[in-house]
């Protein structure tokens, strides 16, 4: 259980990195430019706190690992089937709430991102986080938002009510790929190891044809043979692995096609997760109630931060004239708005667990679902 909390800590930290990265892009876009100051930030160790692209890869590796962990232990096909059936409603519950909230903000004309973008010169902010289309109070529609939050964002990738939802399509289809590969990989593992590794490599190759981000899902299967080897590095080796993986995640920045970032961020994420799972007795700060709270907050925080940046954060910037105050309002506001959504998210997981807790008339424990 303590190791589970350690993974929750990683998930929460990754969510904060994404929020920081988007806040920087909205209120200090010069930091992402090509001048000396920007390059100094990107090559400095502090950039690990703002490199949202690497954090997203870590999200996907964590998600894929957790999704089939129960099946790996039980080898019951039913665990995979229930996990696959639950995946869409599990994700759609909190996503639908966030999308309807964003639609309400549009309808009430409480988005100020375009005026704020004129001050900060942020193209990302001016396009509502690079939305495919920018809505207005007249064009926003609750029925359209409902359809987007309930299923379209997962199947087709629609995201113009909340642009952070671009990961939901990758998360959903990547999860399906994980469920499909798990029986083959785990059957071969321990019998024909080379065939198991070949299966993983084939999954990575197939995912590569769709998106670099999809590669994180089959690649995460490498964690299982690594853990099965039973090697437990001492604390010095574990510490070195953590430092190296964080350094790699810091340097993994996107190029024109994203290949460099994927090739660095995915192995670094696997290394970091393996290092954390290799610790038999994680420290209290990594496995206590605070870590679990951070994990519970991660998905809701990820969902609401773009609407908060474009509304409260932008408004605070316009009123105060300070980009620092705007950024602070965006980060603190995102955390506060995420708290009630976290409560709903926890309740929603319990509801789904109760609905799917059956098998031939007898109760079973529903498989745990991961958040992206």
């Amino acid at each position: 259980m303590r190791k589970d909390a350690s993974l929750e800590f990683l998930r929460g930290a990754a969510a904060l990195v994404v929020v920081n990265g988007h806040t920087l892009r909205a209120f200090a876009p010069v930091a992402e430019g090509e001048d000396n100051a920007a390059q100094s930030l990107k090559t400095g160790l502090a950039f690990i706190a703002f490199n949202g692209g690497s954090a997203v890869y870590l999200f996907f590796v964590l998600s894929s690992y957790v999704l089939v962990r129960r099946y790996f232990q039980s080898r019951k096909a039913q665990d995979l089937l229930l996990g696959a059936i639950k995946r869409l409603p599990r994700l759609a519950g909190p996503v639908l709430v966030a999308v309807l909230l964003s639609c309400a903000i549009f309808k009430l004309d409480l988005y100020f991102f375009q005026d704020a973008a004129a001050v900060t010169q942020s193209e990302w902010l001016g396009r509502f986080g690079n939305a495919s289309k920018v809505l207005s109070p007249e064009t926003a529609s609750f029925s359209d938002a409902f359809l987007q939050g309930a299923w379209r964002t997962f199947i087709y990738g629609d995201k113009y009510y909340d642009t952070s939802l671009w990961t939901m399509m990758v998360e959903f289809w990547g999860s399906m790929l994980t469920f499909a590969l798990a029986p083959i990989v785990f059957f071969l593992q321990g019998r024909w190891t080379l065939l198991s590794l070949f299966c993983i490599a084939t999954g990575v190759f197939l995912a590569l044809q769709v998106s670099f981000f999809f590669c994180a899902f089959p690649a995460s299967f490498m964690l299982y043979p690594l853990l099965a080897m039973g090697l437990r590095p001492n604390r010095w080796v574990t510490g070195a692995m953590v430092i190296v993986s964080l350094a790699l995640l810091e340097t993994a920045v996107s190029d024109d096609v994203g290949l460099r970032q994927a090739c660095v961020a995915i192995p670094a994420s696997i290394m970091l997760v393996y290092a954390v799972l290799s610790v038999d007795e994680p420290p209290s700060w990594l496995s206590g109630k605070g870590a679990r709270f951070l994990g519970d907050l991660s998905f809701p925080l990820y969902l609401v931060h773009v609407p908060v940046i474009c509304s409260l954060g932008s408004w605070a910037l316009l009123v105060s004239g300070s980009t620092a105050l705007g950024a602070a309002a965006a980060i603190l506001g995102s955390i506060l708005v995420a708290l009630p959504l976290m409560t709903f998210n926890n309740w929603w997981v319990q509801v789904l667990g109760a609905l799917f807790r059956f098998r031939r008339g007898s109760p079973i424990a529903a498989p745990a679902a991961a958040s992206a």
Side-chain angles (χ1 to χ4, degrees), residues 7 12 99 104 110 125 160-161 167 177 197-198 204-205 244 260 279 300-302 306 346 357:
L7 297 184
V99 170
L110 295 177
L125 182 60
Y160 43 84
Y161 285 95
T167 60
L177 177 60
L197 296 177
F198 176 77
V204 172
F205 174 78
V244 170
R260 177 176 179 269
V279 179
L301 179 63
Y302 178 81
V306 169
N346 292 337
R357 192 175 291 121

Side-chain angles (χ1 to χ4, degrees), residues 287-312:
S287 59
K289 292 182 179 180
R292 293 189 179 277
F293 173 81
L294 193 59
D296 288 341
L297 186 67
S298 61
F299 191 30
L301 179 63
Y302 178 81
L303 293 178
V304 303
H305 76 278
V306 169
V308 173
I309 288 173
C310 295
S311 57
L312 177 63

Side-chain angles (χ1 to χ4, degrees), residues 196-214:
S196 176
L197 296 177
F198 176 77
C199 181
I200 295 173
T202 301
V204 172
F205 174 78
L206 294 175
L208 186 62
Q209 310 310 306
V210 182
S211 168
F212 294 110
F213 289 100
F214 277 108

Side-chain angles (χ1 to χ4, degrees), residues 56-305:
V56 169
Y57 279 108
L58 179 57
F59 268 132
F60 292 151
V61 168
L62 283 168
S63 180
S64 180
Y65 169 77
V66 173
L67 278 175
V68 294
R69 180 176 52 185
R70 185 181 187 88
Y71 171 73
F72 176 75
Q73 296 168 346
S74 69
R75 300 305 169 94
K76 296 178 180 179
Q78 186 168 351
D79 289 334
L80 280 182
L81 179 61
L82 287 178
I85 294 173
K86 286 175 58 177
R87 196 60 183 149
L88 180 58
R90 188 271 172 269
L91 294 171
V95 166
L96 181 58
V97 174
V99 170
L100 291 176
L101 172 63
S102 179
C103 182
I105 297 175
F106 271 116
K107 283 293 190 182
L108 295 172
D109 200 16
L110 295 177
Y111 276 125
F112 307 98
F113 56 89
Q114 290 179 327
D115 292 335
V119 177
T120 66
Q121 298 300 303
S122 170
E123 184 178 349
W124 179 89
L125 182 60
R127 291 288 305 172
F128 190 60
N130 286 338
S132 57
K133 62 179 179 180
V134 178
L135 301 173
S136 66
E138 294 74 27
T139 57
S141 165
F142 281 109
S143 60
D144 182 50
F146 179 85
L147 292 175
Q148 185 169 128
W151 64 276
R152 280 204 326 239
T153 190
F154 306 101
I155 306 302
Y156 299 120
D158 290 354
K159 59 184 186 309
Y160 43 84
Y161 285 95
D162 185 350
T163 53
S164 62
L165 297 182
W166 72 267
T167 60
M168 291 299 101
M169 185 177 73
V170 179
E171 175 68 32
F172 175 71
W173 291 114
S175 298
M176 296 302 106
L177 177 60
T178 297
F179 289 130
L181 281 177
I184 305 173
V185 172
F186 293 155
F187 174 78
L188 296 175
Q189 184 178 317
R191 294 179 174 88
W192 301 282
T193 303
L194 289 179
L195 282 178
S196 176
L197 296 177
F198 176 77
C199 181
I200 295 173
T202 301
V204 172
F205 174 78
L206 294 175
L208 186 62
Q209 310 310 306
V210 182
S211 168
F212 294 110
F213 289 100
F214 277 108
C215 297
F217 289 87
S220 70
F221 278 101
M222 287 300 302
L223 284 164
Y224 287 97
L226 289 173
L227 293 169
M229 292 171 62
L231 298 177
R232 291 295 180 267
N234 61 41
R235 61 178 181 175
W236 299 106
V237 175
T238 300
M241 291 173 62
V242 170
I243 293 173
V244 170
S245 60
L246 290 177
L248 291 173
L249 289 171
E250 179 269 324
T251 59
V253 294
S254 179
D255 54 20
D256 291 338
V257 294
L259 178 60
R260 177 176 179 269
Q261 187 174 40
C263 290
V264 175
I266 293 176
S269 297
I270 293 173
M271 183 191 301
L272 181 60
V273 175
Y274 175 71
V276 170
L277 290 173
S278 299
V279 179
D280 291 325
E281 290 295 330
S284 58
W285 61 269
L286 189 61
S287 59
K289 292 182 179 180
R292 293 189 179 277
F293 173 81
L294 193 59
D296 288 341
L297 186 67
S298 61
F299 191 30
L301 179 63
Y302 178 81
L303 293 178
V304 303
H305 76 278

